[in-house]
Amino acid sequence: MSEHSSYEDYASKNVNYYQGINNTLLGMVPSNVKQVLDIGCGEGNLGAAIKTETSAYVAGVELFSSAAEIAATRLDEVIVGNIENVDPSDLAFTRNQFDAIMFGDVLEHLINPAYVLKKVKTLLSNNGCVLASIPNVGHITIIESLLAGLWTYTDAGLLDKTHYRFFTRREIVMLFESSGYVVENLMIIPFSNPRYDQMIEALEAVNQKFQISTDHFKTEASAYQYVIKAKPI
């Protein structure tokens, strides 16, 4: 990031729920997958990239019909529906069908993400995994806003007005563990600039002075998003 990069610029360029591809998430997809389910597939760009990279069969579930219509031209199968309101047995998928189930910027939009993670486990193959990207509410921009007395929702980004749930790194791990998974890999997509770096250093000193846990503060405060690979226990 350049010194003059703003958080707002970063968010507007990097958050597009229907058209975007999270390359870090894409890179976590095992090369040997045969069947993939993309929940909240948007217009199908991520799933199409998975098909190109792996030649896998990719199905999608999408809440919004306009996005699903476009996704249907790119994926092998697309179902229009709310994953929170349907039972896996009603999705015309078979038990243990998928080698990977994707949640690209989806879990934070759900009312009960733990419930969804639990119920899709039956669709995973014996060595299948869940891959997810989740924004970090512990990012320095959120801390800065709180220090200014603000919690202002936006059209995109960490405080997207359609987010129901908010997560830090530890809360993400707790979400998956409480849903019957073990987190095998947790990667960071960072965003910072010189000003934010100085703020993080100053807050680290505050943490030390008041004996607040500082084991991962610098890393977590610069993490804009986490990308997770988890498998059922």
Side-chain angles (χ1 to χ4, degrees), residues 2 8 33 40 47 58 60 70 72-73 75 94 113-114 140-141 182 210 221 223 231:
S2 71
E8 290 79 10
V33 292
V58 179
I70 298 173
T73 67
L75 307 184
T94 60
I140 185 61
T141 55
V182 59
F210 291 95
K231 289 188 174 182

Side-chain angles (χ1 to χ4, degrees), residues 30 32 96 98-100 124-130 184 229-232:
N32 62 345
N96 307 126
F98 296 103
D99 304 307
L124 282 171
S125 62
N126 291 335
N127 198 36
C129 62
V130 165
E184 289 195 340
K229 177 182 179 181
K231 289 188 174 182

Side-chain angles (χ1 to χ4, degrees), residues 5-191:
S5 296
S6 73
Y7 163 65
E8 290 79 10
D9 289 341
Y10 179 81
S12 65
K13 291 177 182 176
N14 289 275
V15 179
N16 188 317
Y17 298 119
Y18 304 111
Q19 300 175 346
I21 295 177
N22 185 319
N23 288 316
T24 304
L25 185 63
L26 175 63
M28 271 199 178
V29 179
S31 60
N32 62 345
V33 292
K34 301 300 181 185
Q35 303 234 358
V36 176
L37 176 61
D38 188 3
I39 295 177
C41 65
E43 295 182 358
N45 286 341
L46 175 61
I50 293 171
K51 287 175 61 66
T52 299
E53 294 287 332
T54 67
S55 300
Y57 173 98
V58 179
V61 177
E62 172 55 43
L63 175 63
F64 297 101
S65 58
S66 57
E69 288 177 6
I70 298 173
T73 67
R74 298 168 176 163
L75 307 184
D76 296 290
E77 179 180 4
V78 176
I79 294 174
V80 180
N82 185 338
I83 192 62
E84 294 202 85
N85 297 335
V86 297
D87 188 273
S89 62
D90 296 330
L91 291 175
F93 301 136
T94 60
R95 188 178 181 88
N96 307 126
Q97 178 176 344
F98 296 103
D99 304 307
I101 297 179
M102 316 294 296
F103 289 94
D105 296 326
V106 169
L107 293 172
E108 65 273 15
H109 295 271
L110 303 181
I111 295 172
N112 193 341
Y115 169 70
V116 172
L117 286 172
K118 289 175 184 177
K119 73 178 182 179
V120 301
K121 282 195 294 184
T122 60
L123 299 176
L124 282 171
S125 62
N126 291 335
N127 198 36
C129 62
V130 165
L131 300 172
S133 55
I134 302 176
N136 173 34
V137 77
H139 189 257
I140 185 61
T141 55
I142 302 298
I143 298 172
E144 178 186 26
S145 295
L146 287 171
L147 290 172
L150 299 173
W151 183 274
T152 305
Y153 289 96
T154 56
D155 290 331
L158 299 178
L159 289 183
D160 186 305
K161 59 189 176 185
T162 63
H163 288 180
Y164 285 109
R165 300 291 182 178
F166 299 92
F167 299 95
T168 62
R169 182 187 66 85
R170 293 173 186 173
E171 294 295 333
I172 289 171
V173 174
M174 289 172 60
L175 168 68
F176 278 90
E177 289 182 346
S178 66
S179 303
Y181 294 81
V182 59
V183 175
E184 289 195 340
N185 195 357
L186 192 151
M187 297 182 65
I188 289 172
I189 298 178
F191 167 69

